[in-house]
Amino acid sequence: MILPADKGRSTVILNKTNYQKAKDLLSDTSTYKAIKKDPTPKYKNQLIDQLKTLKDEEVISYQTYRQLYPTTSEVPKFYGLPKVHKPSCPLRPIVASRGSIDTAKMVANILSPLVGKTDRHLNNSEDLVDKLSKFTLLDSECLVSYDVTTLFTSIPVDETLGIIKTLLMNDSTHESRTDLSPQQITDLLSTCLKPTYFVYEGNFYIQSEGAAMGSPVSPIIANLFMEAFEEKALSSFSNPPRYWGRYVDDTTVIIQKSDLDSFTAHLNSIHDAIKFTIEHELNNRIAMLDTLITRAPNGKLSFSVYRKSTHTDQYLSFASHQPLEHKLGVIRTLTHRAETLSSDQASLDTELQHVKRS
C-alpha cells in the first residue's frame, strides 16, 4: 500500500499483502460506500455558503472568512497503518485530509475545553497512575481492561451532534472562545463530520457513519460521545465498578468478580454501534497505555513502564545528523516517563538501565 507523500518527503511502500487488507476494509458496506464521482465541489460550495452567511451576519470576521475559505480541491486520501502488535497485523484506517477542505481545526479548538470534565477521563499515563495508586483491591475484586471495537468509525454522528449541542448550550465558556452560537458550531461540526469521503486507487468512497481517523476533531468527538455513553452505562447498572478510568477507547476497571460477566454484557447492550472487548489480569498484571499495573497479594497496586512485544527499542540514532536538542529530547522524554510511571525504586532503576542500553 502506498502512503500519501508530502512535497519533499519520500513515499512509503508497505508490504504487498496490505493492499488486500485495505480492500477488505473498504468492502465493509456497513461502514464504507462506493460513490461514482468526486463530491468535493458539492461540499466545497456547502462550506462557502456557510462561511459567507456567518461573515454577512458578522459572526466571523472577514479575516477568519478568508482563512477558512476553501482554496483547494484536493481529495482526502485513504490508507492503513498496520497494527503490528496484533494477530494478523490488521490495518488502522486513516483518512489524510491534509490540503483538502477542512474546518475541523477551528471547531476542534472550540470544543476541546468540553472534554474531560468528569473524574472518569484520563489525560495520560501519569494521570492513570495517580488515580489508581489510591486504590487497594479486595480479594473479591478484579482489574480488567475494556477496549471499544473500531470506535472512530462506529460513532453515531447525528446522536453525537445532539450531545455536543446540548453541552454547548449548558456551557457559557464557549462564548470566550468564539462568537458562534451552539447551533452554528454544531452546523460547522456537521460539515466536518458528515462528508467523510476519500479516494483509494482512483475510486471514491464515503464513510457511512463515524468520524475519520486523521481529522483533528475526531478524538474530541470520540471523547464527548464516550463520556455520554459511560454516564448512561454506569448509572443504569445496579452495582457499577468501583473505578472506571478511560482514555479515548481504552478503559481500566475495578469491579466485583461476581459482577464482571453481567457488567460486560450490560456494556455491550447499551448501543448497537459500540461493542467492547475485554482483557483480564495475567499473573496479577495488566497493561494500560504504556503502563504495566501489578497487583500485590495484599491488593496494593504498583506501576512500571510497559512495552508491547513488538517494541524494537529503536529511537533516534545519536550518530545521525539530527539536531543535538532532538537527541537529548529523546533521552529526557524516556527518563521522565521512567520517573513518572515507576512506583518504586527497583522499577525505576530497572527502567533507567533499559533506557541506557537503548
Side-chain angles (χ1 to χ4, degrees):
M1 183 188 308
I2 301 177
L3 306 189
D6 296 329
K7 293 181 179 180
R9 297 183 181 179
S10 300
T11 300
V12 179
I13 302 177
L14 299 180
N15 189 295
K16 198 172 182 178
T17 59
N18 289 308
Y19 283 101
Q20 186 57 47
K21 290 182 180 180
K23 292 177 181 177
D24 290 342
L25 282 175
L26 296 176
S27 66
D28 178 8
T29 55
S30 64
T31 304
Y32 304 106
K33 178 182 178 183
I35 53 179
K36 293 182 178 180
K37 62 179 182 179
D38 178 8
T40 302
K42 170 186 173 182
Y43 293 123
K44 180 177 180 179
N45 291 333
Q46 178 182 331
L47 176 58
I48 291 172
D49 289 343
Q50 277 185 286
L51 294 175
K52 189 175 185 301
T53 298
L54 294 175
K55 176 181 69 68
D56 292 343
E57 294 176 354
E58 298 183 346
V59 178
I60 61 173
S61 66
Y62 179 76
Q63 180 181 2
T64 301
Y65 170 76
R66 294 304 306 168
Q67 180 182 353
L68 297 177
Y69 190 94
T71 57
T72 179
S73 297
E74 185 174 342
V75 184
K77 311 295 190 303
F78 175 90
Y79 65 96
L81 291 179
K83 301 180 183 179
V84 297
H85 60 286
K86 292 192 174 182
S88 302
C89 195
L91 296 182
R92 176 181 287 110
I94 304 292
V95 176
S97 58
R98 186 173 183 178
S100 60
I101 298 172
D102 197 356
T103 57
K105 186 175 182 180
M106 184 193 74
V107 177
N109 290 335
I110 296 172
L111 296 179
S112 58
L114 299 178
V115 175
K117 291 190 173 182
T118 74
D119 292 337
R120 307 184 191 103
H121 176 82
L122 293 174
N123 295 311
N124 47 39
S125 301
E126 182 178 2
D127 192 22
L128 170 70
V129 170
D130 180 63
K131 290 177 178 177
L132 272 182
S133 61
K134 298 178 174 65
F135 288 87
T136 298
L137 270 64
L138 305 175
D139 291 339
S140 60
E141 292 178 320
C142 60
L143 187 64
V144 298
S145 174
Y146 286 109
D147 180 33
V148 181
T149 304
T150 60
L151 173 61
F152 282 73
T153 56
S154 300
I155 298 170
V157 173
D158 287 331
E159 183 178 339
T160 305
L161 289 173
I163 291 170
I164 290 172
K165 183 179 177 181
T166 300
L167 288 172
L168 288 167
M169 292 175 65
N170 294 329
D171 177 41
S172 60
T173 65
H174 81 270
E175 297 174 357
S176 64
R177 301 188 295 277
T178 180
D179 291 328
L180 296 170
S181 69
Q183 184 63 58
Q184 290 167 332
I185 297 170
T186 307
D187 289 342
L188 280 176
L189 178 59
S190 177
T191 301
C192 296
L193 290 177
K194 289 196 172 181
T196 303
Y197 68 97
F198 51 85
V199 63
Y200 179 75
E201 292 190 337
N203 298 314
F204 296 99
Y205 299 84
I206 191 163
Q207 190 171 303
S208 303
E209 194 62 275
M213 291 191 68
S215 170
V217 80
S218 294
I220 297 170
I221 299 308
N223 268 309
L224 292 176
F225 171 78
M226 285 304 299
E227 286 179 8
F229 176 94
E230 66 195 12
E231 175 62 32
K232 179 179 180 180
L234 296 175
S235 63
S236 58
F237 192 71
S238 58
N239 189 25
R242 188 155 66 102
Y243 173 78
W244 170 288
R246 181 185 52 81
Y247 184 86
V248 191
D249 59 349
D250 291 322
T251 306
T252 298
V253 171
I254 298 174
I255 189 170
Q256 289 289 326
K257 295 175 183 177
S258 58
D259 290 327
L260 180 59
D261 289 343
S262 58
F263 180 69
T264 302
H266 173 71
L267 281 179
N268 285 322
S269 70
I270 297 295
H271 201 291
D272 290 340
I274 304 299
K275 303 302 174 185
F276 292 81
T277 59
I278 185 172
E279 182 179 347
H280 301 268
E281 293 175 65
L282 181 61
N283 298 324
N284 295 320
R285 292 182 171 186
I286 195 168
M288 172 70 173
L289 303 178
D290 59 350
T291 305
L292 182 64
I293 308 165
T294 302
R295 174 181 183 169
N298 63 0
K300 294 286 187 180
L301 299 176
S302 61
F303 309 91
S304 57
V305 173
Y306 171 73
R307 293 177 179 83
K308 293 176 180 176
S309 58
T310 52
H311 184 77
T312 63
D313 275 330
Q314 294 180 351
Y315 300 105
L316 186 62
S317 172
F318 207 83
S320 69
H321 292 287
Q322 294 291 331
L324 178 61
E325 57 266 28
H326 292 181
K327 301 170 187 176
L328 296 177
V330 173
I331 298 172
R332 283 194 297 266
T333 298
L334 295 175
T335 302
H336 174 74
R337 182 173 70 165
E339 295 171 343
T340 300
L341 302 186
S342 301
S343 57
D344 55 66
Q345 190 61 45
S347 297
L348 176 58
D349 292 342
T350 300
E351 179 59 22
L352 291 178
Q353 287 299 319
H354 186 100
V355 171
K356 290 179 181 179
R357 291 194 301 270
S358 301

